[in-house]
Amino acid sequence: QSVLTQPPSVSGAPGQRVTISCTGSSSNIGASDHVHWYQQVPGTAPKLLIYEIINRPSGVPDRFSGSKSGTSASLAITGLQAEDEADYYCQSHDISLNAYVFGSGTKVTVL
Amino acid sequence: EVELVESGGGLVQPGGSLRLSCAVSGFTFSGSWLAWVRQAPGQGLEWLANINQDGSVKNYVASVKGRFTISRDNAKNSLYLQMSSLKSEDTAVYFCTRDRAAGTHDYWGQGTLVTVSS
């Protein structure tokens, strides 16, 4: 059972906007700016998508954006494309566990 | 080009041991924190351990503490994970990663599958 909770799935039509929530606590997201997001196409390694809440690594389209409020973080995908169909994971550091933790993962389906 | 190549996975019996290796090229190995992350079949990601640049600082998730040991050899640009007292729930694909800063895993290997079964 992950300490960071994500919806199991979200879906949207091409061109639409979808958001993925990541709900934590005062021990992790609420205590840290070190919130990151990863994209994983099944059968491949995860790819860093967003780091430190809002930053995109070079090469990541600006259709992807991150935010945080209190003990929750969110990933938004605007202008949804077929290639965005993948699993998405949030990550933070948990001070109680003294370990990095990943969210439960969200499968994005493009209708 | 950055490359992280894991090896050493395979089938092992419960209670057994296995050593994973990760050969790294394309970035300054000795200047980087490194980590292991695993993914059980059909499940999510689980951070396991990290190690600092000279190997003097190591952190572990509770589920593997005392059973797994992370280490590195800066002369060989290699990262290791020694796993012992393996359980069926350790069955997973194991990824080595670079931790650029505060858990930011920017480079990943392709993973190596460890299956714990009798």
Side-chain angles (χ1 to χ4, degrees), chain B residues 30-112:
Chain B
S30 59
S32 301
W33 280 77
L34 301 164
W36 287 96
V37 174
R38 71 182 177 185
Q39 186 170 36
Q43 302 301 309
L45 302 171
E46 181 183 22
W47 181 89
L48 296 179
N50 67 1
I51 186 169
N52 73 336
Q53 291 89 339
D54 65 5
S56 61
V57 177
K58 304 175 186 181
N59 299 293
Y60 299 90
V61 71
S63 59
V64 306
K65 206 167 190 177
R67 299 190 301 123
F68 290 10
T69 301
I70 189 172
S71 63
R72 64 191 295 162
D73 185 334
N74 287 347
K76 295 183 178 180
N77 277 15
S78 292
L79 175 70
Y80 306 101
L81 186 67
Q82 178 67 47
M83 305 184 294
S84 60
S85 302
L86 284 162
K87 311 172 183 179
S88 57
E89 50 263 43
D90 294 318
T91 293
V93 173
Y94 286 71
F95 297 99
C96 71
T97 82
R98 184 178 81 159
D99 183 345
R100 191 182 71 181
T104 307
H105 301 287
D106 58 349
Y107 298 134
W108 296 69
Q110 84 289 348
T112 187

Side-chain angles (χ1 to χ4, degrees), chain A residues 3-89:
Chain A
V3 299
L4 302 181
T5 302
Q6 300 179 230
S9 64
V10 298
S11 62
Q16 283 191 329
R17 180 181 189 268
V18 296
T19 61
I20 301 170
S21 60
C22 175
T23 303
S25 69
S26 56
S27 295
N28 40 68
I29 293 176
S32 175
D33 287 337
H34 305 306
V35 180
H36 319 300
W37 290 89
Y38 300 85
Q39 178 192 60
Q40 185 182 32
V41 173
T44 70
K47 169 190 171 184
L48 179 66
L49 203 61
I50 297 286
Y51 65 98
E52 308 279 328
I53 303 176
I54 60 170
N55 300 292
R56 285 185 307 275
S58 173
V60 173
D62 59 6
R63 303 185 291 104
F64 295 92
S65 63
S67 63
K68 172 190 151 177
S69 178
T71 58
S72 293
S74 293
L75 174 72
I77 310 174
T78 57
L80 196 62
Q81 298 183 5
E83 67 205 50
D84 299 332
E85 197 160 277
D87 297 319
Y88 292 81
Y89 295 90

